[in-house]
Amino acid sequence: MAVKPIPAGHGTVTASIIVAGAAKAIDWYKKALGAEEVSRFEGPNRRIMHAEIKIGDSYIMMGDEVPEYGARGPEMLGGTPVSFFIYGPNVDAAWKRAVDAGAKVGMPLADQFWGDRAGSITDPFGHTWWLAQRMKELTPEELRKAADAAFAQPTAP
């Protein structure tokens, strides 16, 4: 039987993150984001070398920080330029669950000019997550007008 080049259920691109305390992060993602733990492999010193969670239909790989091998999480690096966007059918309930679990609010949940109800949170491990629900579809022209209005500078008197 031939081996498939992409594991079953995975897409072509799968995010992989490093966290300080991957086991605690998995538990937090399950509680706060409704993640399902798919797999976990521990290496030396019981550090998680590789784990996978699934949020909705998307997989995220992760492992513990191992600085001696260059694996450093956001807190060790002083932040991260990467964020994750999670779309779902009830963003208000997802938002409440994440905030109640200890997420730090970055951008409050609100109706956004691009047609989503969305906001950002930072998890206890330093990763940023956007929680969103598409509320309306915009044409490119409608999006341009909405962006122009959102970013319009008030005119001086």
Side-chain angles (χ1 to χ4, degrees):
M1 189 160 106
V3 174
K4 294 181 180 182
I6 299 170
H10 286 68
T12 304
V13 176
T14 301
S16 182
I17 60 176
I18 303 297
V19 292
K24 288 180 182 177
I26 291 168
D27 290 341
W28 193 87
Y29 295 141
K30 287 165 53 175
K31 178 180 179 182
L33 302 177
E36 168 193 341
E37 183 175 341
V38 176
S39 66
R40 181 188 302 214
F41 176 75
E42 293 180 349
N45 302 324
R46 302 200 49 101
R47 290 187 286 202
I48 294 178
M49 292 180 66
H50 179 84
E52 291 186 23
I53 60 172
K54 187 175 181 185
I55 300 173
D57 64 356
S58 302
Y59 289 85
I60 298 174
M61 299 176 180
M62 72 178 66
D64 272 310
E65 285 184 331
V66 186
E68 58 270 29
Y69 289 105
R72 296 175 177 89
E75 292 178 337
M76 187 177 279
L77 293 171
T80 177
V82 177
S83 63
F84 300 92
F85 227 87
I86 300 175
Y87 278 104
N90 188 340
V91 72
D92 289 278
W95 183 266
K96 181 175 179 357
R97 182 177 63 221
V99 171
D100 287 351
K104 179 181 169 189
V105 174
M107 182 174 178
L109 183 65
D111 293 339
Q112 305 297 338
F113 73 84
W114 59 86
D116 290 351
R117 180 161 177 75
S120 70
I121 58 164
T122 300
D123 67 34
F125 311 94
H127 292 283
T128 300
W129 301 80
W130 282 80
L131 304 181
Q133 178 178 347
R134 179 59 45 98
M135 302 305 284
K136 59 183 171 180
E137 295 291 342
L138 301 175
T139 66
E141 295 78 23
E142 290 170 328
L143 178 58
R144 179 76 268 151
K145 280 184 178 181
D148 288 347
F151 296 112
Q153 298 295 319
T155 55

